[in-house]
Amino acid sequence: MATPGPVMMWTQYLAARAVVAGLTCVEPDWNLKAAGAVGGLIDRVSAKHARRSRENIRRSFPGWPQRRVDQVARASMSHVMKLIVETMHTPRSIHEHNWSSRIDSSNLGEAVALLNTGRPVILVTGHLGNFELLGYALAVLGYDVDAIARPLDNPLVYDWLMGIRRKKGMRIISKFGATEPMVRVMERGGGLGFIADQNAGHKGIFVPFMGRLASAHKPIGLLAQQFNAPIICGYAFRLGDHFRYEVGTADIIYPEQWADQPNPLYYITARYTRALEKMVRMRPEQYWWMHRRWKNRPKHEAAGKPMPGRLRENLEALPWMTPSLMSELEKPVAFLN
């Protein structure tokens, strides 16, 4: 998308600031309820996103009745809108003096121990729950955290939102030209965060996700191998319409676990994607189903050919692979517009 002109940039920026000023004058819990209602309305009027969400849910949960699919699709859009409210309220609502009353920790001991070692650590999550909270909370607690983010088309709005994110010490690295900054984070023993559940295009690695092959990003696995860095796969689920969250880990991947794999990069990529799937299955209503996660397809599917031997070998080498899952992965999938 092209960068808007100066008049449009300022119009968007001032409108966003006005909306946020209004939101932050009202109790955050009320705003969360209102945002949820708005999300449900958007699901009803945005035909394209509603159709895509339902198709993604149906394919991911083939045994669900249509009523359940519709419920999760509407809830998903409500959770998208809730994140907007939370982003504005978080600096006021969660800080170093009250974070323990807002966050319920779940199996975080091992992850915290890793963060305390001073070695480089990679943090992975998806568009699920309040994913923005994870890096913010770590920064509040004094951890050295950088996160990869895509710049917005409006630089005024982007700089303003980055200021909110950085308020407690969380640093943002633009995904464009990110290689050198990422390496510097790893070299100094910091934590590097990725939101890793979006389509990686034709250049990605095709690994299983929700019963289908999906294109996943390579840099996580490449950096993990280069710096011998463990990968923490974590989540922040909402607990009702309140500023309270369950924060936990779905998996932690250690270098010794991929060292003996026949294709370490494929193993790492498939395993962190498997952790993302686990998170989605835990709270499907909090996942962003409108994303075009399966848009790009493997070359063999696009050409109508059988799965190539090398891909089959990589899949069959995964310790958690089963014959039934392998059978599903062999079926071609048409991408969604």
mmCIF file of all heavy atoms in Angstrom, residues 280-304:
data_model
loop_
_atom_site.group_PDB
_atom_site.id
_atom_site.type_symbol
_atom_site.label_atom_id
_atom_site.label_comp_id
_atom_site.label_asym_id
_atom_site.label_seq_id
_atom_site.Cartn_x
_atom_site.Cartn_y
_atom_site.Cartn_z
ATOM 1 N N VAL A 280 -3.251 -21.820 19.340
ATOM 2 C CA VAL A 280 -4.530 -21.556 18.661
ATOM 3 C C VAL A 280 -5.592 -22.529 19.145
ATOM 4 O O VAL A 280 -6.737 -22.140 19.406
ATOM 5 C CB VAL A 280 -4.361 -21.654 17.135
ATOM 6 C CG1 VAL A 280 -5.717 -21.572 16.432
ATOM 7 C CG2 VAL A 280 -3.443 -20.551 16.630
ATOM 8 N N ARG A 281 -5.246 -23.782 19.294
ATOM 9 C CA ARG A 281 -6.214 -24.783 19.733
ATOM 10 C C ARG A 281 -6.627 -24.563 21.184
ATOM 11 O O ARG A 281 -7.739 -24.951 21.580
ATOM 12 C CB ARG A 281 -5.650 -26.196 19.539
ATOM 13 C CG ARG A 281 -5.480 -26.568 18.062
ATOM 14 C CD ARG A 281 -5.059 -28.004 17.859
ATOM 15 N NE ARG A 281 -4.893 -28.331 16.451
ATOM 16 C CZ ARG A 281 -5.882 -28.650 15.623
ATOM 17 N NH1 ARG A 281 -7.127 -28.705 16.089
ATOM 18 N NH2 ARG A 281 -5.647 -28.932 14.351
ATOM 19 N N MET A 282 -5.765 -23.944 21.974
ATOM 20 C CA MET A 282 -6.125 -23.640 23.359
ATOM 21 C C MET A 282 -7.197 -22.553 23.445
ATOM 22 O O MET A 282 -8.091 -22.615 24.289
ATOM 23 C CB MET A 282 -4.870 -23.202 24.128
ATOM 24 C CG MET A 282 -3.866 -24.313 24.371
ATOM 25 S SD MET A 282 -2.261 -23.684 24.979
ATOM 26 C CE MET A 282 -2.706 -23.134 26.639
ATOM 27 N N ARG A 283 -7.108 -21.537 22.583
ATOM 28 C CA ARG A 283 -8.057 -20.417 22.583
ATOM 29 C C ARG A 283 -8.385 -20.014 21.145
ATOM 30 O O ARG A 283 -7.987 -18.943 20.686
ATOM 31 C CB ARG A 283 -7.469 -19.207 23.323
ATOM 32 C CG ARG A 283 -7.170 -19.392 24.788
ATOM 33 C CD ARG A 283 -8.438 -19.491 25.633
ATOM 34 N NE ARG A 283 -8.104 -19.372 27.037
ATOM 35 C CZ ARG A 283 -7.610 -20.365 27.787
ATOM 36 N NH1 ARG A 283 -7.369 -21.553 27.220
ATOM 37 N NH2 ARG A 283 -7.334 -20.184 29.068
ATOM 38 N N PRO A 284 -9.091 -20.848 20.395
ATOM 39 C CA PRO A 284 -9.350 -20.522 18.982
ATOM 40 C C PRO A 284 -10.108 -19.222 18.787
ATOM 41 O O PRO A 284 -9.938 -18.543 17.768
ATOM 42 C CB PRO A 284 -10.150 -21.724 18.479
ATOM 43 C CG PRO A 284 -10.707 -22.369 19.702
ATOM 44 C CD PRO A 284 -9.705 -22.135 20.786
ATOM 45 N N GLU A 285 -10.937 -18.837 19.740
ATOM 46 C CA GLU A 285 -11.713 -17.604 19.594
ATOM 47 C C GLU A 285 -10.844 -16.357 19.702
ATOM 48 O O GLU A 285 -11.266 -15.262 19.295
ATOM 49 C CB GLU A 285 -12.831 -17.546 20.640
ATOM 50 C CG GLU A 285 -12.381 -17.296 22.074
ATOM 51 C CD GLU A 285 -11.790 -18.524 22.776
ATOM 52 O OE1 GLU A 285 -11.780 -19.611 22.152
ATOM 53 O OE2 GLU A 285 -11.350 -18.384 23.927
ATOM 54 N N GLN A 286 -9.616 -16.482 20.219
ATOM 55 C CA GLN A 286 -8.740 -15.325 20.357
ATOM 56 C C GLN A 286 -7.724 -15.219 19.221
ATOM 57 O O GLN A 286 -6.871 -14.323 19.225
ATOM 58 C CB GLN A 286 -8.013 -15.361 21.702
ATOM 59 C CG GLN A 286 -8.945 -15.232 22.890
ATOM 60 C CD GLN A 286 -8.233 -14.936 24.189
ATOM 61 O OE1 GLN A 286 -7.139 -14.367 24.208
ATOM 62 N NE2 GLN A 286 -8.850 -15.306 25.313
ATOM 63 N N TYR A 287 -7.824 -16.088 18.225
ATOM 64 C CA TYR A 287 -6.892 -16.061 17.092
ATOM 65 C C TYR A 287 -7.439 -15.177 15.971
ATOM 66 O O TYR A 287 -8.647 -15.051 15.791
ATOM 67 C CB TYR A 287 -6.659 -17.482 16.566
ATOM 68 C CG TYR A 287 -5.572 -17.560 15.518
ATOM 69 C CD1 TYR A 287 -4.287 -17.113 15.795
ATOM 70 C CD2 TYR A 287 -5.823 -18.082 14.253
ATOM 71 C CE1 TYR A 287 -3.282 -17.177 14.838
ATOM 72 C CE2 TYR A 287 -4.829 -18.164 13.299
ATOM 73 C CZ TYR A 287 -3.561 -17.702 13.598
ATOM 74 O OH TYR A 287 -2.576 -17.763 12.649
ATOM 75 N N TRP A 288 -6.537 -14.572 15.192
ATOM 76 C CA TRP A 288 -6.928 -13.694 14.092
ATOM 77 C C TRP A 288 -7.128 -14.535 12.831
ATOM 78 O O TRP A 288 -6.238 -14.652 11.993
ATOM 79 C CB TRP A 288 -5.859 -12.622 13.869
ATOM 80 C CG TRP A 288 -5.806 -11.590 14.957
ATOM 81 C CD1 TRP A 288 -6.243 -11.717 16.246
ATOM 82 C CD2 TRP A 288 -5.275 -10.270 14.854
ATOM 83 N NE1 TRP A 288 -6.020 -10.567 16.958
ATOM 84 C CE2 TRP A 288 -5.423 -9.653 16.123
ATOM 85 C CE3 TRP A 288 -4.684 -9.553 13.817
ATOM 86 C CZ2 TRP A 288 -5.001 -8.353 16.371
ATOM 87 C CZ3 TRP A 288 -4.253 -8.255 14.062
ATOM 88 C CH2 TRP A 288 -4.424 -7.660 15.324
ATOM 89 N N TRP A 289 -8.307 -15.063 12.642
ATOM 90 C CA TRP A 289 -8.591 -15.986 11.556
ATOM 91 C C TRP A 289 -8.711 -15.306 10.204
ATOM 92 O O TRP A 289 -8.757 -15.989 9.166
ATOM 93 C CB TRP A 289 -9.872 -16.765 11.860
ATOM 94 C CG TRP A 289 -9.715 -17.763 12.954
ATOM 95 C CD1 TRP A 289 -10.149 -17.647 14.247
ATOM 96 C CD2 TRP A 289 -9.072 -19.034 12.873
ATOM 97 N NE1 TRP A 289 -9.817 -18.763 14.985
ATOM 98 C CE2 TRP A 289 -9.151 -19.627 14.152
ATOM 99 C CE3 TRP A 289 -8.433 -19.728 11.842
ATOM 100 C CZ2 TRP A 289 -8.626 -20.891 14.425
ATOM 101 C CZ3 TRP A 289 -7.912 -20.979 12.115
ATOM 102 C CH2 TRP A 289 -8.005 -21.554 13.388
ATOM 103 N N MET A 290 -8.788 -13.988 10.165
ATOM 104 C CA MET A 290 -8.964 -13.310 8.869
ATOM 105 C C MET A 290 -7.677 -13.247 8.057
ATOM 106 O O MET A 290 -7.687 -12.875 6.888
ATOM 107 C CB MET A 290 -9.524 -11.893 9.065
ATOM 108 C CG MET A 290 -8.499 -10.822 9.404
ATOM 109 S SD MET A 290 -7.822 -10.993 11.067
ATOM 110 C CE MET A 290 -9.276 -10.572 12.036
ATOM 111 N N HIS A 291 -6.536 -13.605 8.650
ATOM 112 C CA HIS A 291 -5.277 -13.564 7.914
ATOM 113 C C HIS A 291 -5.265 -14.596 6.782
ATOM 114 O O HIS A 291 -5.853 -15.671 6.891
ATOM 115 C CB HIS A 291 -4.106 -13.847 8.856
ATOM 116 C CG HIS A 291 -3.683 -12.656 9.644
ATOM 117 N ND1 HIS A 291 -2.958 -12.752 10.805
ATOM 118 C CD2 HIS A 291 -3.883 -11.337 9.451
ATOM 119 C CE1 HIS A 291 -2.728 -11.540 11.289
ATOM 120 N NE2 HIS A 291 -3.278 -10.676 10.480
ATOM 121 N N ARG A 292 -4.537 -14.265 5.725
ATOM 122 C CA ARG A 292 -4.411 -15.173 4.577
ATOM 123 C C ARG A 292 -3.251 -16.137 4.830
ATOM 124 O O ARG A 292 -2.266 -16.173 4.087
ATOM 125 C CB ARG A 292 -4.218 -14.359 3.301
ATOM 126 C CG ARG A 292 -5.344 -13.357 3.070
ATOM 127 C CD ARG A 292 -5.038 -12.413 1.925
ATOM 128 N NE ARG A 292 -5.167 -13.089 0.637
ATOM 129 C CZ ARG A 292 -4.915 -12.493 -0.532
ATOM 130 N NH1 ARG A 292 -4.509 -11.233 -0.560
ATOM 131 N NH2 ARG A 292 -5.061 -13.145 -1.655
ATOM 132 N N ARG A 293 -3.394 -16.927 5.873
ATOM 133 C CA ARG A 293 -2.296 -17.757 6.353
ATOM 134 C C ARG A 293 -1.866 -18.810 5.336
ATOM 135 O O ARG A 293 -0.689 -19.181 5.272
ATOM 136 C CB ARG A 293 -2.711 -18.443 7.659
ATOM 137 C CG ARG A 293 -1.600 -19.279 8.311
ATOM 138 C CD ARG A 293 -0.468 -18.381 8.751
ATOM 139 N NE ARG A 293 0.684 -19.127 9.241
ATOM 140 C CZ ARG A 293 1.700 -19.520 8.492
ATOM 141 N NH1 ARG A 293 1.710 -19.261 7.197
ATOM 142 N NH2 ARG A 293 2.721 -20.171 9.026
ATOM 143 N N TRP A 294 -2.801 -19.306 4.549
ATOM 144 C CA TRP A 294 -2.490 -20.377 3.606
ATOM 145 C C TRP A 294 -2.524 -19.885 2.162
ATOM 146 O O TRP A 294 -2.734 -20.682 1.241
ATOM 147 C CB TRP A 294 -3.473 -21.524 3.792
ATOM 148 C CG TRP A 294 -3.339 -22.194 5.129
ATOM 149 C CD1 TRP A 294 -2.488 -23.205 5.453
ATOM 150 C CD2 TRP A 294 -4.076 -21.912 6.325
ATOM 151 N NE1 TRP A 294 -2.642 -23.570 6.770
ATOM 152 C CE2 TRP A 294 -3.613 -22.789 7.338
ATOM 153 C CE3 TRP A 294 -5.085 -20.997 6.657
ATOM 154 C CZ2 TRP A 294 -4.136 -22.779 8.630
ATOM 155 C CZ3 TRP A 294 -5.597 -20.976 7.950
ATOM 156 C CH2 TRP A 294 -5.128 -21.859 8.917
ATOM 157 N N LYS A 295 -2.314 -18.590 1.947
ATOM 158 C CA LYS A 295 -2.416 -18.029 0.595
ATOM 159 C C LYS A 295 -1.445 -18.688 -0.369
ATOM 160 O O LYS A 295 -1.848 -19.180 -1.429
ATOM 161 C CB LYS A 295 -2.164 -16.525 0.632
ATOM 162 C CG LYS A 295 -2.105 -15.892 -0.756
ATOM 163 C CD LYS A 295 -1.709 -14.434 -0.687
ATOM 164 C CE LYS A 295 -1.534 -13.864 -2.086
ATOM 165 N NZ LYS A 295 -1.100 -12.452 -2.070
ATOM 166 N N ASN A 296 -0.165 -18.686 -0.039
ATOM 167 C CA ASN A 296 0.837 -19.290 -0.920
ATOM 168 C C ASN A 296 0.877 -20.795 -0.710
ATOM 169 O O ASN A 296 0.819 -21.285 0.420
ATOM 170 C CB ASN A 296 2.215 -18.692 -0.654
ATOM 171 C CG ASN A 296 2.317 -17.262 -1.135
ATOM 172 O OD1 ASN A 296 2.211 -16.321 -0.348
ATOM 173 N ND2 ASN A 296 2.493 -17.079 -2.432
ATOM 174 N N ARG A 297 0.980 -21.524 -1.809
ATOM 175 C CA ARG A 297 0.995 -22.969 -1.763
ATOM 176 C C ARG A 297 2.339 -23.501 -2.262
ATOM 177 O O ARG A 297 3.035 -22.830 -3.027
ATOM 178 C CB ARG A 297 -0.131 -23.565 -2.640
ATOM 179 C CG ARG A 297 -1.513 -23.013 -2.355
ATOM 180 C CD ARG A 297 -1.883 -23.057 -0.881
ATOM 181 N NE ARG A 297 -1.666 -24.369 -0.296
ATOM 182 C CZ ARG A 297 -1.279 -24.546 0.981
ATOM 183 N NH1 ARG A 297 -1.072 -23.510 1.781
ATOM 184 N NH2 ARG A 297 -1.100 -25.756 1.454
ATOM 185 N N PRO A 298 2.737 -24.702 -1.832
ATOM 186 C CA PRO A 298 3.982 -25.288 -2.340
ATOM 187 C C PRO A 298 3.933 -25.439 -3.854
ATOM 188 O O PRO A 298 2.868 -25.585 -4.447
ATOM 189 C CB PRO A 298 4.017 -26.658 -1.638
ATOM 190 C CG PRO A 298 3.111 -26.533 -0.461
ATOM 191 C CD PRO A 298 2.049 -25.556 -0.856
ATOM 192 N N LYS A 299 5.094 -25.431 -4.464
ATOM 193 C CA LYS A 299 5.168 -25.509 -5.925
ATOM 194 C C LYS A 299 4.495 -26.769 -6.455
ATOM 195 O O LYS A 299 3.850 -26.733 -7.510
ATOM 196 C CB LYS A 299 6.631 -25.460 -6.365
ATOM 197 C CG LYS A 299 7.299 -24.112 -6.154
ATOM 198 C CD LYS A 299 8.738 -24.139 -6.637
ATOM 199 C CE LYS A 299 9.413 -22.788 -6.439
ATOM 200 N NZ LYS A 299 10.837 -22.802 -6.899
ATOM 201 N N HIS A 300 4.620 -27.876 -5.757
ATOM 202 C CA HIS A 300 4.038 -29.115 -6.276
ATOM 203 C C HIS A 300 2.512 -29.050 -6.283
ATOM 204 O O HIS A 300 1.865 -29.585 -7.185
ATOM 205 C CB HIS A 300 4.526 -30.326 -5.476
ATOM 206 C CG HIS A 300 3.943 -30.437 -4.103
ATOM 207 N ND1 HIS A 300 4.457 -29.765 -3.004
ATOM 208 C CD2 HIS A 300 2.875 -31.145 -3.632
ATOM 209 C CE1 HIS A 300 3.764 -30.063 -1.925
ATOM 210 N NE2 HIS A 300 2.797 -30.894 -2.272
ATOM 211 N N GLU A 301 1.926 -28.355 -5.291
ATOM 212 C CA GLU A 301 0.470 -28.200 -5.285
ATOM 213 C C GLU A 301 0.025 -27.321 -6.446
ATOM 214 O O GLU A 301 -0.948 -27.624 -7.143
ATOM 215 C CB GLU A 301 0.009 -27.598 -3.964
ATOM 216 C CG GLU A 301 -0.013 -28.562 -2.801
ATOM 217 C CD GLU A 301 -0.717 -27.977 -1.597
ATOM 218 O OE1 GLU A 301 -1.424 -26.957 -1.753
ATOM 219 O OE2 GLU A 301 -0.564 -28.526 -0.494
ATOM 220 N N ALA A 302 0.742 -26.200 -6.642
ATOM 221 C CA ALA A 302 0.377 -25.277 -7.714
ATOM 222 C C ALA A 302 0.476 -25.948 -9.080
ATOM 223 O O ALA A 302 -0.294 -25.633 -10.000
ATOM 224 C CB ALA A 302 1.272 -24.041 -7.665
ATOM 225 N N ALA A 303 1.417 -26.884 -9.212
ATOM 226 C CA ALA A 303 1.612 -27.574 -10.496
ATOM 227 C C ALA A 303 0.760 -28.832 -10.615
ATOM 228 O O ALA A 303 0.788 -29.493 -11.665
ATOM 229 C CB ALA A 303 3.087 -27.927 -10.667
ATOM 230 N N GLY A 304 0.023 -29.159 -9.547
ATOM 231 C CA GLY A 304 -0.804 -30.363 -9.580
ATOM 232 C C GLY A 304 -0.003 -31.646 -9.563
ATOM 233 O O GLY A 304 -0.436 -32.664 -10.106
#
